[in-house]
Amino acid sequence: MNRRALRKPRISVFSVVNTLLLCIIVVMTIYPVLYILFASFSDARMLTKHEGPIFWPLGQPTLAGYKLTLSNPNILSGYKNTILYMIVGTSLNLVLTSLAAYALSRRHYIFRNALMIMIVITMFFGGGLVPLFFVIRTLGIYDTRLAVILPTAISSWNVILMRTFFQSLPEEMEESAIIDGANDMTILTRIILPLSKPIIAVMVLYYGVAHWNSWFNALVFLRDTTLFPLQLFLRETLITNKETAADTTSQMLEESFTRELVQYCTIVVSTFPIFCVYPFLQKYFVKGVMIGALKG
């Protein structure tokens, strides 16, 4: 038997160091999530007094924090508004991005280079918040749901990404459809989009997560609290940390114990849907990004 075949594979120093660094990065990434999750199931009094890392719920695991969080009418209202903003906003994003990317990917469109230059310029220069505020007020959509949806109706980067993907599709299919008498809308809806599921999944993930996490536009353009998204209530819970009126000292102590617990529970409640959706889109995510980034 060949002695070389019996030799064990050599482990290089680079492999050891690389593995250790990756393990450290994994721990640094996962532990904050586990910390918040364990804290949300902990006893409120023990959590307030505890200092240092948490590797398991403190005390007897309880759902008291989630009961208090979900009993808050603002959380339920924020959930409803955020889901509405995400569904309507993402649908509008996909329609506008697909139309723009298709037009810019067609070789026969004479204005595509000029429009591409204009789109790229918007990635580096913007009018700023004050002009945008006056535009929103002039359009008459201030303090309405449209003020949250329209300013983010399309993303220049996502248009470029989808345009590159469309350009990677074989041109022969479009030429055959044109010979058969198909127009641009038919080509887009019946040929291009059915072949673009990976990049569409990427767009849904990009736009959907952006709408779910969005709070700044709502903070600037909304005054009606019934229109606030969930993330704005989360911001108030974490940063503002308002205290509710208490009639007795015991109630004030109880609020001080539960306030930190509710903060952790609110974080979990606001991020849980994204954790549930992402695994179903992840298989398309890498493929869509790679195909959209490299032509060929």
Side-chain angles (χ1 to χ4, degrees):
M1 184 178 295
N2 191 353
R3 292 183 178 179
R4 294 182 178 178
L6 296 177
R7 292 180 180 177
K8 295 182 179 180
R10 298 180 60 184
I11 300 177
S12 63
V13 177
F14 173 79
S15 299
V16 176
V17 174
N18 192 34
T19 302
L20 291 176
L21 288 177
L22 289 176
C23 291
I24 293 173
I25 293 173
V26 169
V27 172
M28 293 175 62
T29 305
I30 295 179
Y31 179 71
V33 179
L34 295 178
Y35 182 95
I36 294 174
L37 185 63
F38 293 151
S40 67
F41 288 101
S42 299
D43 180 80
R45 295 177 180 269
M46 296 183 65
L47 180 63
T48 303
K49 300 176 182 179
H50 179 78
E51 295 182 0
I54 299 177
F55 299 100
W56 190 254
L58 301 175
Q60 185 69 24
T62 176
L63 296 175
Y66 289 100
K67 293 180 180 179
L68 289 173
T69 301
L70 296 178
S71 64
N72 186 348
N74 290 335
I75 298 296
L76 298 179
S77 174
Y79 246 116
K80 180 188 69 174
N81 293 329
T82 298
I83 292 174
L84 178 63
Y85 294 145
M86 185 177 67
I87 293 177
V88 176
T90 304
S91 301
L92 180 63
N93 295 145
L94 289 177
V95 172
L96 296 180
T97 304
S98 300
L99 292 175
Y102 175 75
L104 295 172
S105 65
R106 300 304 94 185
R107 296 180 181 273
H108 59 270
Y109 186 54
I110 59 176
F111 299 109
R112 66 172 189 154
N113 292 331
L115 288 177
M116 274 303 303
I117 294 174
M118 296 174 62
I119 290 174
V120 172
I121 289 175
T122 62
M123 298 175 63
F124 298 95
F125 304 98
L129 179 60
V130 174
L132 178 61
F133 181 82
F134 282 110
V135 169
I136 295 298
R137 293 197 60 177
T138 303
L139 293 176
I141 59 176
Y142 180 76
D143 202 19
T144 65
R145 298 187 190 276
L146 292 178
V148 178
I149 296 174
L150 289 184
T152 57
I154 194 167
S155 167
S156 301
W157 170 254
N158 290 338
V159 169
I160 295 173
L161 191 65
M162 183 171 277
R163 165 186 172 268
T164 308
F165 185 92
F166 287 169
Q167 287 179 332
S168 67
L169 298 176
E171 297 181 1
E172 290 76 9
M173 295 184 299
E174 180 185 359
E175 295 173 355
S176 300
I178 293 175
I179 293 175
D180 292 336
N183 55 26
D184 287 325
M185 187 58 65
T186 302
I187 295 173
L188 174 62
T189 56
R190 297 191 179 184
I191 298 178
I192 302 297
L193 292 181
L195 297 174
S196 305
K197 292 181 180 179
I199 196 65
I200 292 176
V202 173
M203 293 296 105
V204 170
L205 185 62
Y206 280 176
Y207 282 123
V209 172
H211 283 293
W212 187 269
N213 293 329
S214 177
W215 60 271
F216 185 74
N217 285 346
L219 177 66
V220 176
F221 302 131
L222 296 181
R223 289 294 175 265
D224 187 356
T225 56
T226 60
L227 303 179
F228 283 3
L230 178 63
Q231 300 300 330
L232 196 53
F233 290 118
L234 174 62
R235 174 185 176 274
E236 293 182 353
T237 301
L238 298 179
I239 299 178
T240 309
N241 198 15
K242 293 181 178 179
E243 297 184 6
T244 58
D247 297 332
T248 63
T249 304
S250 61
Q251 289 181 353
M252 294 177 62
L253 290 174
E254 189 65 27
E255 288 180 0
S256 65
F257 285 133
T258 59
R259 189 175 299 115
E260 186 175 357
L261 177 63
V262 169
Q263 288 178 348
Y264 288 116
C265 293
T266 305
I267 295 173
V268 174
V269 168
S270 63
T271 56
F272 180 74
I274 297 299
F275 279 104
C276 294
V277 172
Y278 183 80
F280 296 98
L281 299 177
Q282 199 271 340
K283 63 180 180 179
Y284 297 107
F285 183 74
V286 176
K287 182 179 178 182
V289 170
M290 295 302 295
I291 296 177
L294 299 174
K295 182 178 180 181

